[in-house]
Structures are given as structure tokens and as C-alpha cells.
């Protein structure tokens, strides 16, 4: 760490003679530590002034120097700096060289030691205070001024946590990398390719590497998004399986509980019945035995009484004995004739009680015998649940039945007649949904489902009709028409069955986010759409078809430019003697293709006038195109309404405005025809390329000589409907159309 002392501030290291140091705190005046009251300060000042007066009378410098040393030692004792030799040497050593503030370099900011810095700056504050008291005898006037500047600077920065330090001379900034080393995959400077270890490595411009890295990141982001979608779909699938398993096991638990409760109730009922039967049997036996016991006791008593009576008779007199014996004999005869039951009516042995548990066993068996489930309920098709080759079918089971699997049946529907015999397909699944694949786009399919368990299948559900998403449309690139503000797109459906609507998606071709859709036009009912665009741009266009199942994939792209008006020739209006090139921009009439007879009249194509019309986009505003002509050729160019009479010459009616050129051996004749009339205009230089400006806003049609940037003529037109370019060749020759170009600067609105 650099030395933090008065040396950094450029203080004079020589011992200042005749200079008194007084305390001054680092902080603001209200925060200063009042070590010396005002009265003491005033007395000190008076003493110093008196001492200076004595010096002026010649008392000598020795005494003043001793006084200075005493003051410094007093300050050292006051601030506890006896051990700080650095500060002591800094202010007392007489042998130090004198150095001004101006001799030091620029100051920056550096962390400081607060305690050491406080002591250092307090002494400097004393020096400043001493100078305010009038002591200017230390060094020259410039050095005193330097000291005051140091004090003012340090006092202003005293409350901050930073102090001055020498700023090293800054090195030149490192040159920024401008190329990218493909081998090392790191940015480098261009000269490193020549002299450094990258000499043999492949390098590319940094911007190209940046774009490549962005493209790679975008591709990885797309893959990551796709993986996220797949994982989310898989998670949803797992969640549905989890719920299905949980529901099935919950139903089984309820079924077991119900059956076991029924078994317990049956057992309790049988127990009550058996206990009651045993009680009744017991009562019956005991009553029979008790009755037999009572009868036996009565007979026994009768026998004992007879024995006693007979014994008494044996002791009687003969006469009495004989009398009683006759009666006793009768009595004994009757008693002995009475049958005495000496067999036990109820045996004490227990009968084997056979319990019939057949019904319980039947109940126990029914626990594992699950009833067949009820019929599932198939759901209607959800929006956007299909692709061109698959549909997602869902159903529900509104009962507590246990289901082990489902069988989904389906077949295509033809002629909108469900139930017609068609090939059936079957899919077995365990969930209440199924994604059926390998289907035909934009086709209706009939679905029904059955539930199965060990008891058998359920009845079939009601039948539902699902439809796959459409096939992608096919853009008719040759029929695309555009201008600076819009484009008219046409396409083929690409589907045998009708679709609900179409969506046009546009992306700016030169946009850094060209992979994303910048604009979408939805709900288009027909196979064409007029889309408003920004001028001077290039767009990539896609079309999707939609139905109940969802959108189709994108069509093949088509590129359009909103630079000028672009159109092609309409072959449906072409005279049979004319030939249109494949690009639809060149008209050719050959001598061999000219028959002797005119074609029969027609309302769609020209028959008398050898002409053809162009398909200009139906957008108001201004449109500009050019026609390359031969100065020795008879031709007519201009505009006309779509319903212009095809049996009349162009410009001969009120539905067309044209410029006609007729060449003879002597001169060129130019006419600007409308309704059969032309103004008297002479053109001295035959144009080789004619510019045509159609201005809907001002209802005007202007002609220009492109090579000379010359205005030829302007019609004021009543354009109550849209018009189209028209071209005619009265003799064999060729006309070439240039469109989709910017309007030249010389073309103005007349």
C-alpha cells in the first residue's frame, strides 16, 4: 500500500520555521472537537503576535524554532502520536527536501485508513489554522498558496471514505475482436489470424458468427419448445392414466367393502337362526324329560303306598285280612294293569348340527365375480383435436363399474350416410381417450366404444362422427397480384370435401424474426383474399385450411413484393391469334398464327380486336407499369373495364382509354383514343418503352416515354369501377410488359 502521509499531498517536508500548528478537525465546523476554546485561541494569537514583534526587534530565530518544536511536541502528546515516527518525521525533520503541490501528478481516489488519515489531516488542519493566524514565514508565498489549496481540497473531501492517490498512466484500450475463430470457437482480432496461433484456423466475420449463433440458438429453442410440448403431452397422458387407475382401484375397494358387509350380514343372520333353533330343541327335550320324570315319581309313590298298605294288612286278624285282601287284590290288579313307561323319551346325545353356508360361499365367490360394465358415453369432437391424419377421441363412464380395457371401433363415413357398410377398425386401450392415426385428411369417421372386464363387454356406446383436419391448400403463384399496398392471393382448396374457412399467414422475408408469423388473416370463406401490406417490403405467404377438426399444416410458401404493381395477362381474354409466354408477361403475334377467318364472337375473349387484358389487383390508389415496344410495330396499350365489348377495337367506346401507334413508311402516327376520339398530338421521338400510370385517386391515366422521361398525354377518366391493362397487336410482333417496379422519379401526377 502506498504511503499515506502528507507526502501524497505535496507538503513541504522541511521543518517549517516559526510556524505554529493548531488543531483542526476533519469534519464541518459544527462537528469539530473544541480542544482549544475561543478565549484560549485568542490568547494564543496574542502571544504569537507578541513573539513576532520580538522577532522583528532582533531576538533571533533560535528561540522561535525552539518554541515551534515545543508546540509540535505538545500536539504529539495531545493526539497520542509519540509512536508515530512517520508523522513526526514528516513535520519535524529539518533535512527533508521542500516539494510543492504542483510537483505531484494527478490525484485519483483510493481506500484509506481512517484512524491514520484522521491524525494526518488534523496536523494539516493545524497548519492551515496557523496560516490563517498570520504565519506566512514558512517557505515562499507560492508554497503557502499551495498549502492553502491542499487544505481546501482536503477539507472538502474529509467526510468521504476515499483519499487521493496517484493514477497510473492508462494503457490504450485493447482492440475489439472483429473476426471469429471457428476452430477455437472464440472471437479474435484480425491480426491474430496472421501472426498468432490462429494462423492455420478457419475464421469468419464476427457478424456472420453472431447470426450463425443466433440461428443455432433459435433452432435449439424450437427443439426445446417441441420437447416441452411432448413432455407436457406425456405428462397429461400419465395424469390421465393415473386418474384412471385410481378410479378403478377405488371402485374395486368399494366393491370389496360392499360384498364383505353383505357377507357379514348373512353370517349374522344365520347365527341368529341357528341359535334360535337350538334353543327351541333344547326346550322341547327338557320338557319331555321333565314330564317323564314327574310321571315316574308319581308311579313310584303309588308303589310305596301299596307296599306299606300290604305290610299293615299282614299284621291284621284273619277275618280283617281276608276282607282287606280282596279289596287290595283288585287295587293291585288295576295298578299292575297300568303301563308304566320306563324308556327315556329324549336321548341325551346331541345331534350333529350341519350348517348350510352355500349362500355365504356364493357371496364369497361373488367378490371376485365383477359384473359387466355399463355402456360408455362417447364425447363429441373437441375443436382443434385432429390433424390431417389423426383424431383424438374421448369418452366417459358414468357408473361405478370396474373396467379393465376399452375397445374403440371406427370406420370412414361416405356420402354422409352413417351406418353404411364400410371396413371397421378396432383399437384396444386402457384409457378413456385414444389418438387414432393413419387417417385420410378432411374425412369424417364414425366412432363407438365398448368397456370390458372379466365379466365381459359392455353394450356399445352411441356413435359419434369425428373429422380429420384438412390437407394444406395449394397457392396459385401465377395468379398472385400485388401493388404497393396490398396483395391478392388465390389458392386451391386441396380437399375433396369442403372446409370451414382459411387462414393466410404472412412473414416479412427480410425480418430477423422471419421464422415467426407477423400477421394472420383468419376466417376467409373463399379461396382468395385481398391482404393489406406495407409498401416496399417482401413477404412470405402461407395458407391453412380449417374445419371442426383443426387447422391444416401450412401450404408451400409464396413470395410477394410490394414494390410497384404486379400482374399477369389473363389468358381467358386472349384473342386466338395471340400467344402468351409462360411467365404471362410477353405477348406474341406471329404471321403463321394469323388465319384468314376471324373467330366467332365471344363475351369472354377478344374476337375482332387482336387484344388481351391483364389482371390488375382491385385496389384503388396508383399503379404503374411499362411496355417495351418496337417503333415499327402497330400496337395499342391502355386500360379498359372488364366488360368492355370484345367485338370492338380498344378506344372505340367509352369503356376503354388507349394509346395507339400506327406505322407507315412515311411517318409514325400516335392516337390517344377514348370513345372513338383523339386529340391532335404529335410525338417526334418514337418511344421504345412506354410508361403507364393509372391514378384512381385523381381519375387519370398518363403515358410517358420512359427513355426520355417525357410526359406524352393524360386522360381524365370516369373510373366508377376497376379497370385492367389492355394490349393489342394489329400486326405480327411482340410486346413485353415490365411490372412490379418502382415508379420513376420523372413520373408525376398530372
Amino acid at each position: 500500500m502506498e504511503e499515506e502521509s502528507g507526502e501524497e499531498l505535496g507538503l513541504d517536508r522541511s521543518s517549517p520555521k516559526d510556524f505554529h500548528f493548531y488543531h483542526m478537525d476533519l469534519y464541518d465546523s459544527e462537528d469539530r472537537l473544541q480542544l482549544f476554546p475561543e478565549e484560549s485561541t485568542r490568547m494564543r494569537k496574542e502571544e504569537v503576535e507578541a513573539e513576532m514583534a520580538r522577532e522583528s526587534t532582533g531576538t533571533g530565530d533560535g528561540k522561535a524554532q525552539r518554541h515551534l518544536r515545543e508546540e509540535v511536541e505538545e500536539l504529539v502528546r495531545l493526539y497520542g502520536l509519540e509512536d508515530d515516527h512517520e508523522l513526526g518525521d514528516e513535520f519535524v525533520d529539518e533535512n527533508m527536501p521542500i516539494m510543492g503541490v504542483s510537483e505531484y501528478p494527478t490525484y485519483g481516489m483510493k481506500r484509506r485508513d481512517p484512524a491514520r488519515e484522521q491524525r494526518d489531516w488534523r496536523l494539516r488542519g493545524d497548519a492551515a489554522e496557523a496560516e490563517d493566524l498570520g504565519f506566512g514565514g514558512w517557505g515562499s508565498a507560492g508554497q503557502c498558496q499551495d498549502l492553502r489549496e491542499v487544505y481546501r481540497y482536503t477539507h472538502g473531501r474529509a467526510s468521504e471514505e476515499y483519499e487521493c492517490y496517484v493514477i497510473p498512466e492508462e494503457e490504450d484500450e485493447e482492440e475489439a475482436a472483429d473476426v471469429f475463430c471457428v476452430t477455437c470457437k472464440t472471437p479474435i482480432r484480425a491480426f491474430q489470424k496472421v501472426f498468432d496461433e490462429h494462423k492455420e484456423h478457419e475464421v469468419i466475420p464476427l457478424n456472420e458468427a453472431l447470426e450463425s449463433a443466433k440461428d443455432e440458438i433459435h433452432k435449439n429453442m424450437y427443439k426445446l419448445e417441441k420437447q416441452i410440448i411432448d413432455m407436457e403431452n406425456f405428462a397429461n397422458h400419465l395424469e390421465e392414466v393415473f386418474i384412471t387407475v385410481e378410479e378403478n382401484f377405488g371402485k374395486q375397494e368399494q366393491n370389496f367393502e360392499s360384498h364383505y358387509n353383505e357377507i357379514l350380514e348373512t353370517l349374522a343372520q344365520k347365527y341368529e337362526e341357528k341359535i334360535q333353533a337350538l334353543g327351541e330343541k333344547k326346550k322341547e327335550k327338557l320338557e319331555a324329560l321333565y314330564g317323564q320324570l314327574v310321571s315316574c315319581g308319581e308311579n313310584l309313590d303309588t308303589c310305596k303306598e301299596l307296599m306299606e298298605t300290604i305290610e299293615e294288612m299282614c299284621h291284621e286278624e284273619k277275618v280283617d285280612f281276608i276282607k282287606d285282601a280282596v279289596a287290595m287284590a283288585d287295587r293291585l290288579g288295576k295298578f299292575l294293569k297300568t303301563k308304566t313307561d320306563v324308556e327315556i323319551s329324549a336321548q341325551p346325545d346331541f345331534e350333529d348340527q350341519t350348517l348350510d353356508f352355500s349362500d355365504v360361499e356364493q357371496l364369497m365367490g361373488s367378490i371376485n365375480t365383477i359384473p359387466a360394465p355399463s355402456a360408455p358415453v362417447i364425447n363429441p369432437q373437441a375443436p382443434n383435436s385432429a390433424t390431417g391424419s389423426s383424431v383424438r377421441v374421448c369418452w366417459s363412464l358414468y357408473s361405478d363399474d370396474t373396467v379393465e380395457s376399452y375397445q374403440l371401433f371406427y370406420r370412414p363415413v361416405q356420402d354422409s350416410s352413417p351406418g353404411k357398410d364400410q371396413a371397421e377398425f378396432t383399437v384396444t386401450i386402457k384409457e378413456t381417450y385414444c389418438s387414432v392415426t393413419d387417417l385420410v385428411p378432411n374425412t369424417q369417421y364414425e366412432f363407438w366404444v365398448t368397456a370390458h372386464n372379466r365379466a365381459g363387454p359392455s353394450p356399445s356406446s352411441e356413435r359419434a362422427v369425428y373429422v380429420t383436419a384438412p390437407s394444406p391448400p395449394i397457392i396459385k403463384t401465377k395468379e398472385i397480384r400485388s401493388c404497393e399496398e396490398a396483395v391478392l392471393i388465390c389458392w386451391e382448396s386441396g380437399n375433396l370435401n369442403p372446409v370451414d374457412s382459411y387462414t393466410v399467414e404472412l412473414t416479412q422475408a427480410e425480418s430477423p424474426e422471419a421464422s415467426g408469423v407477423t400477421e394472420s388473416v383468419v376466417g376467409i370463406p373463399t379461396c382468395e383474399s385481398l391482404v393489406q401490406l406495407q409498401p416496399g417490403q417482401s413477404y412470405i405467404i402461407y395458407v391453412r385450411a380449417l374445419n371442426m377438426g383443426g387447422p391444416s399444416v401450412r401450404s408451400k410458401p409464396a413470395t410477394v413484393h410490394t414494390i410497384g404493381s404486379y400482374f399477369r395477362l389473363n389468358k381467358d381474354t386472349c384473342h386466338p391469334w395471340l400467344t402468351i409466354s409462360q411467365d404471362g408477361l410477353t405477348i406474341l403475334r406471329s404471321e403463321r398464327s394469323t388465319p384468314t377467318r376471324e373467330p366467332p364472337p365471344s363475351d369472354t375473349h377478344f374476337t375482332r380486336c387482336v387484344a388481351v387484358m391483364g389482371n390488375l389487383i382491385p385496389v384503388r390508389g396508383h399503379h404503374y407499369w411499362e411496355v417495351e415496344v418496337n417503333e415499327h410495330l402497330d400496337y395499342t396499350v391502355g386500360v379498359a373495364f372488364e366488360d368492355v365489348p370484345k367485338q370492338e377495337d380498344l378506344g372505340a367506346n367509352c369503356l376503354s382509354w388507349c394509346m395507339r401507334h400506327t406505322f407507315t413508311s412515311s411517318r409514325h402516327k400516335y392516337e390517344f383514343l377514348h370513345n372513338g376520339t383523339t386529340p391532335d398530338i404529335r410525338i417526334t421521338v418514337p418511344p421504345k418503352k412506354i410508361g403507364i400510370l393509372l391514378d384512381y385517386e385523381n381519375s387519370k391515366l398518363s403515358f410517358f416515354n420512359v427513355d426520355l422521361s417525357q410526359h406524352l398525354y393524360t386522360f381524365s377518366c370516369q373510373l366508377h369501377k376497376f379497370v385492367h391493362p389492355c394490349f393489342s397487336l394489329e400486326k405480327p410482333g411482340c410486346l413485353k410488359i415490365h411490372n412490379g417496379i418502382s415508379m420513376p422519379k420523372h413520373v408525376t401526377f398530372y
Side-chain angles (χ1 to χ4, degrees), residues 43-60:
M43 294 175 64
R44 178 65 58 89
K45 184 174 181 180
E46 293 175 355
E47 292 177 0
V48 172
E49 290 176 351
E51 182 178 352
M52 292 180 64
R54 287 194 299 272
E55 288 178 1
S56 63
T57 58
T59 55

CSV table of all heavy atoms in Angstrom, one decimal, residues 43-60:
chain,number,residue,atom,x,y,z
A,43,MET,N,-5.9,34.2,23.1
A,43,MET,CA,-4.7,34.4,23.8
A,43,MET,C,-3.5,33.9,23.1
A,43,MET,O,-2.4,34.5,23.1
A,43,MET,CB,-4.8,33.7,25.2
A,43,MET,CG,-5.9,34.4,26.1
A,43,MET,SD,-6.1,33.5,27.6
A,43,MET,CE,-4.5,33.7,28.3
A,44,ARG,N,-3.6,32.7,22.5
A,44,ARG,CA,-2.5,32.2,21.7
A,44,ARG,C,-2.1,33.1,20.6
A,44,ARG,O,-1.0,33.3,20.3
A,44,ARG,CB,-3.0,30.8,21.2
A,44,ARG,CG,-1.9,30.1,20.4
A,44,ARG,CD,-0.7,29.8,21.2
A,44,ARG,NE,-1.0,28.9,22.3
A,44,ARG,CZ,-1.0,27.6,22.2
A,44,ARG,NH1,-0.6,27.0,21.1
A,44,ARG,NH2,-1.4,26.9,23.2
A,45,LYS,N,-3.2,33.6,19.9
A,45,LYS,CA,-2.9,34.5,18.8
A,45,LYS,C,-2.1,35.8,19.3
A,45,LYS,O,-1.2,36.2,18.7
A,45,LYS,CB,-4.2,34.9,18.1
A,45,LYS,CG,-4.0,35.8,16.9
A,45,LYS,CD,-5.3,36.1,16.2
A,45,LYS,CE,-5.1,36.9,15.0
A,45,LYS,NZ,-6.3,37.2,14.2
A,46,GLU,N,-2.5,36.3,20.5
A,46,GLU,CA,-1.8,37.5,21.0
A,46,GLU,C,-0.4,37.1,21.4
A,46,GLU,O,0.5,37.9,21.1
A,46,GLU,CB,-2.6,38.0,22.3
A,46,GLU,CG,-4.0,38.5,21.9
A,46,GLU,CD,-4.7,38.9,23.2
A,46,GLU,OE1,-4.2,38.6,24.3
A,46,GLU,OE2,-5.8,39.5,23.1
A,47,GLU,N,-0.2,35.9,21.9
A,47,GLU,CA,1.2,35.5,22.2
A,47,GLU,C,2.0,35.4,21.0
A,47,GLU,O,3.2,35.8,21.0
A,47,GLU,CB,1.1,34.2,23.0
A,47,GLU,CG,0.5,34.3,24.4
A,47,GLU,CD,0.5,32.9,25.0
A,47,GLU,OE1,0.9,32.0,24.4
A,47,GLU,OE2,0.0,32.8,26.1
A,48,VAL,N,1.5,34.8,20.0
A,48,VAL,CA,2.2,34.7,18.7
A,48,VAL,C,2.6,36.0,18.1
A,48,VAL,O,3.7,36.3,17.6
A,48,VAL,CB,1.4,33.8,17.7
A,48,VAL,CG1,2.1,33.8,16.4
A,48,VAL,CG2,1.3,32.4,18.2
A,49,GLU,N,1.6,37.0,18.2
A,49,GLU,CA,1.8,38.3,17.6
A,49,GLU,C,2.9,39.0,18.4
A,49,GLU,O,3.8,39.7,17.8
A,49,GLU,CB,0.6,39.1,17.6
A,49,GLU,CG,-0.5,38.7,16.6
A,49,GLU,CD,-1.8,39.4,16.7
A,49,GLU,OE1,-1.9,40.2,17.7
A,49,GLU,OE2,-2.6,39.3,15.8
A,50,ALA,N,2.9,38.8,19.7
A,50,ALA,CA,3.9,39.4,20.6
A,50,ALA,C,5.3,38.8,20.2
A,50,ALA,O,6.3,39.5,20.2
A,50,ALA,CB,3.6,39.2,22.0
A,51,GLU,N,5.3,37.5,20.0
A,51,GLU,CA,6.6,36.8,19.7
A,51,GLU,C,7.1,37.3,18.4
A,51,GLU,O,8.3,37.5,18.2
A,51,GLU,CB,6.3,35.3,19.6
A,51,GLU,CG,7.6,34.6,19.4
A,51,GLU,CD,7.3,33.1,19.4
A,51,GLU,OE1,6.2,32.7,19.7
A,51,GLU,OE2,8.2,32.3,19.0
A,52,MET,N,6.2,37.5,17.4
A,52,MET,CA,6.6,38.1,16.1
A,52,MET,C,7.2,39.5,16.3
A,52,MET,O,8.1,39.8,15.6
A,52,MET,CB,5.5,38.0,15.1
A,52,MET,CG,5.0,36.6,14.7
A,52,MET,SD,3.7,36.7,13.5
A,52,MET,CE,4.5,37.5,12.2
A,53,ALA,N,6.6,40.2,17.1
A,53,ALA,CA,7.1,41.6,17.4
A,53,ALA,C,8.5,41.5,18.0
A,53,ALA,O,9.4,42.3,17.6
A,53,ALA,CB,6.2,42.4,18.3
A,54,ARG,N,8.7,40.6,18.9
A,54,ARG,CA,10.0,40.4,19.4
A,54,ARG,C,11.0,40.0,18.4
A,54,ARG,O,12.2,40.4,18.4
A,54,ARG,CB,10.0,39.4,20.6
A,54,ARG,CG,9.3,39.9,21.8
A,54,ARG,CD,9.6,39.0,23.0
A,54,ARG,NE,9.1,37.7,22.8
A,54,ARG,CZ,7.9,37.3,23.1
A,54,ARG,NH1,7.0,38.1,23.7
A,54,ARG,NH2,7.5,36.0,22.9
A,55,GLU,N,10.6,39.1,17.5
A,55,GLU,CA,11.4,38.7,16.4
A,55,GLU,C,11.9,39.9,15.5
A,55,GLU,O,13.0,40.0,15.1
A,55,GLU,CB,10.7,37.7,15.5
A,55,GLU,CG,10.6,36.3,16.2
A,55,GLU,CD,9.9,35.3,15.3
A,55,GLU,OE1,9.5,35.7,14.2
A,55,GLU,OE2,9.7,34.2,15.7
A,56,SER,N,10.9,40.8,15.3
A,56,SER,CA,11.2,41.9,14.5
A,56,SER,C,12.2,42.8,15.2
A,56,SER,O,12.9,43.6,14.5
A,56,SER,CB,9.9,42.7,14.2
A,56,SER,OG,9.4,43.2,15.4
A,57,THR,N,12.3,42.8,16.5
A,57,THR,CA,13.3,43.6,17.3
A,57,THR,C,14.6,42.9,17.3
A,57,THR,O,15.6,43.4,17.9
A,57,THR,CB,12.8,43.9,18.7
A,57,THR,OG1,12.5,42.6,19.3
A,57,THR,CG2,11.5,44.7,18.6
A,58,GLY,N,14.7,41.7,16.7
A,58,GLY,CA,16.0,41.1,16.7
A,58,GLY,C,16.3,40.1,17.7
A,58,GLY,O,17.5,39.9,18.1
A,59,THR,N,15.3,39.4,18.3
A,59,THR,CA,15.6,38.4,19.3
A,59,THR,C,16.2,37.2,18.7
A,59,THR,O,16.7,36.3,19.5
A,59,THR,CB,14.3,38.0,20.0
A,59,THR,OG1,13.3,37.6,19.0
A,59,THR,CG2,13.7,39.2,20.8
A,60,GLY,N,16.1,36.9,17.4
A,60,GLY,CA,16.7,35.8,16.7
A,60,GLY,C,15.8,34.7,16.4
A,60,GLY,O,14.7,34.6,17.0
